[in-house]
Amino acid sequence: KQEVTQIPAALSVPEGENLVLNCSFTDSAIYNLQWFRQDPGKGLTSLLLIQSSQREQTSGRLNASLDKSSGRSTLYIAASQPGDSATYLCAGDSSNTGKLIFGQGTTLQVKP
Amino acid sequence: ETGVTQTPRHLVMGMTNKKSLKCEQHLGHNAMYWYKQSAKKPLELMFVYSLEERVENNSVPSRFSPECPNSSHLFLHLHTLQPEDSALYLCASSLEWDSNQPQHFGDGTRLSIL
């Protein structure tokens, strides 16, 4: 059974720092991986999707990579801002059916 | 505006009540999903519909009954719920039921069972 672990569970950093969030899968057979952001009381906002033929994706200050051989993904946030404060969730599809398996998330606080 | 709208945003009901959650998407997507988000647990996929046909039922108790009358609307009918069913219920949609398509989420319905 595929399980997803996100480390750390919580992170507090001063504004301006570069940071890395980690995600790992018990089954390294991952077809694609999606990173989401969730603000309190809200749904999920899709940040980046690494498709089956890709290894990384970039959007603005965000960069996500996927190492299929090890079943690990990282989300890199450059020059963090207070507006980046949220919970970040990674989710992978190991059956190529759109059935996403989620981690429990990393709650990020960026202090001004 | 996420393109996926869920109503109501909050719902409080007794264990013997019957209620329905509604999801509507204006993105022209063909696949729709129900997820459950409980405190301290990862999001759990409940149901998947593709072109109005249910393609996934993730071992969900029968007290949850989904309905997809068309590709833009998805309902979750609730009856005889238990306190452990209190959670945030999220709806999502994607262009196709395909792992290479990003899923877009609504803001959820916060359900509390008395």
Side-chain angles (χ1 to χ4, degrees):
Chain A
K1 178 185 173 183
Q2 178 72 277
E3 292 184 357
V4 183
T5 301
Q6 290 190 244
I7 294 173
L11 183 62
S12 180
V13 300
E15 182 176 5
E17 275 204 7
N18 301 324
L19 52 101
V20 175
L21 308 183
N22 297 289
C23 176
S24 62
F25 297 81
T26 52
D27 181 351
S28 61
I30 299 293
Y31 285 93
N32 74 13
L33 183 134
Q34 198 165 355
W35 280 93
F36 296 90
R37 168 188 173 136
Q38 186 174 29
D39 293 285
K42 296 287 190 177
L44 279 62
T45 300
S46 178
L47 297 174
L48 293 164
L49 167 66
I50 303 176
Q51 297 180 329
S52 56
S53 60
Q54 300 170 330
R55 292 188 179 177
E56 68 176 323
Q57 278 290 319
T58 298
S59 176
R61 295 182 292 107
L62 305 180
N63 174 273
S65 63
L66 175 61
D67 180 349
K68 291 188 177 183
S69 63
S70 64
R72 295 177 184 273
S73 177
T74 59
L75 177 67
Y76 177 80
I77 302 177
S80 58
Q81 302 172 357
D84 295 330
S85 298
T87 296
Y88 290 81
L89 298 161
C90 71
D93 179 352
S94 56
S95 59
N96 202 24
T97 60
K99 187 176 177 180
L100 292 178
I101 308 297
F102 281 81
Q104 286 195 261
T106 293
T107 299
L108 171 66
Q109 182 183 32
V110 181
K111 298 178 180 178
Chain B
E1 177 58 53
T2 64
V4 179
T5 304
Q6 290 187 242
T7 54
R9 289 297 313 277
H10 302 274
L11 179 61
V12 179
M13 56 187 286
M15 290 192 286
T16 58
N17 292 155
K18 291 184 180 181
K19 296 286 184 183
S20 297
L21 310 185
K22 179 182 177 182
C23 176
E24 185 174 2
Q25 56 94 3
H26 307 281
L27 301 169
H29 290 171
N30 291 319
M32 296 187 77
Y33 310 77
W34 279 118
Y35 288 88
K36 176 183 180 181
Q37 188 175 33
S38 304
K40 308 295 184 184
K41 293 177 70 175
L43 256 78
E44 300 172 76
L45 179 66
M46 299 175 71
F47 301 103
V48 182
Y49 276 80
S50 176
L51 295 172
E52 300 137 52
E53 284 195 25
R54 192 189 311 178
V55 296
E56 183 74 36
N57 177 345
N58 207 26
S59 303
V60 179
S62 60
R63 58 185 183 269
F64 295 91
S65 175
E67 178 189 3
C68 188
N70 56 63
S71 59
S72 298
H73 294 85
L74 185 65
F75 295 89
L76 188 62
H77 304 299
L78 316 171
H79 67 95
T80 323
L81 294 193
Q82 304 298 310
E84 62 265 27
D85 297 323
S86 297
L88 180 67
Y89 288 85
L90 291 163
C91 173
S93 70
S94 63
L95 186 58
E96 303 290 348
W97 180 49
D98 180 319
S99 65
N100 278 325
Q101 302 294 329
Q103 293 185 22
H104 299 262
F105 283 76
D107 282 341
T109 295
R110 173 70 63 185
L111 176 65
S112 298
I113 306 300
L114 301 178

